[in-house]
Amino acid sequence: MSDEKFPGWHGTTILAVRRAGKVVVAGDGQVSVGQTVMKGTARKVRRLTPGGHDVVVGFAGSTADAFTLLERLEKKLESAPGQLARACVDLAKDWRMDKYLRNLEAMLIVTDGKDIFVVTGAGDVLEPEHDVAAIGSGGNYALAAARGLMESDLDAEGVARKAMAIAADICVYTNGNLTVEVLG
């Protein structure tokens, strides 16, 4: 977020792991302002069911901005049921082109249990390599841990939980209070 508008705001680690036909999205619950934890139980992973298709979304950034994007994504998915890639690309185009949406400060990880996408306000719709994606303050820690754990015998949820625990041990803006959603 812009330091001019929101000095010292940090928080959120969101991780998605795909393994053996399952996709798990895990998010921590911490929101910090400077050196202070403002909330430790925030829920930043949501399950949507537009048109009867399950989609899980994890978000980092401004909560109000993320909810605006979730509503837009849900409308895109309702108009194109079962077409996650199309809905994400349409959302990214709107986000980049629309004067109002352009100012929204958030990032999304979106999955339908088959595909995983990272969607940004820069117009990016990225499919992760190595079946792992992460965003937020502790995202790089969780990503590195999950990539290393993909060599283990853990299932998708085990990898996600262990990687988030590692991120929480390293990143002061990440805690161990997880919301976990599983698809597949």
Side-chain angles (χ1 to χ4, degrees), residues 71-128:
E71 288 173 9
R72 292 284 183 123
L73 178 62
E74 200 163 20
K75 287 178 186 172
K76 300 287 184 193
L77 288 164
E78 286 170 355
S79 66
Q83 298 181 45
L84 184 63
R86 178 179 174 187
C88 287
V89 168
D90 286 348
L91 175 65
K93 283 195 288 190
D94 288 354
W95 193 354
R96 178 136 170 104
M97 304 295 277
D98 184 275
K99 271 185 168 181
Y100 168 73
L101 293 178
R102 194 177 314 144
N103 293 319
L104 299 183
E105 296 182 358
M107 289 181 75
L108 306 175
I109 289 181
V110 184
T111 183
D112 59 2
K114 295 178 293 188
D115 296 312
I116 301 171
F117 298 106
V118 175
V119 185
T120 74
D124 300 314
V125 179
L126 306 168
E127 283 187 274

Side-chain angles (χ1 to χ4, degrees), residues 102-173:
R102 194 177 314 144
N103 293 319
L104 299 183
E105 296 182 358
M107 289 181 75
L108 306 175
I109 289 181
V110 184
T111 183
D112 59 2
K114 295 178 293 188
D115 296 312
I116 301 171
F117 298 106
V118 175
V119 185
T120 74
D124 300 314
V125 179
L126 306 168
E127 283 187 274
E129 295 180 329
H130 312 291
D131 293 325
V132 177
I135 58 175
S137 297
N140 287 336
Y141 303 112
L143 178 67
R147 294 238 344 239
L149 289 166
M150 292 296 275
E151 301 294 323
S152 73
D153 293 333
L154 294 172
D155 64 1
E157 186 171 349
V159 168
R161 287 184 181 279
K162 181 72 174 163
M164 290 294 288
I166 292 168
D169 284 346
I170 297 170
C171 179
V172 297
Y173 301 113

Side-chain angles (χ1 to χ4, degrees), residues 2 15 23 31 39 41 43 71 74 82 107 122 129 156 175:
S2 168
L15 174 68
V23 177
V31 177
K39 184 172 184 173
T41 59
R43 191 170 170 267
E71 288 173 9
E74 200 163 20
M107 289 181 75
E129 295 180 329
N175 71 15

Side-chain angles (χ1 to χ4, degrees), residues 33-58:
V33 177
Q35 305 298 317
T36 305
V37 175
M38 293 300 291
K39 184 172 184 173
T41 59
R43 191 170 170 267
K44 303 170 226 169
V45 176
R46 307 280 181 185
R47 184 180 293 259
L48 308 174
T49 55
H53 297 275
D54 279 344
V55 172
V56 174
V57 181

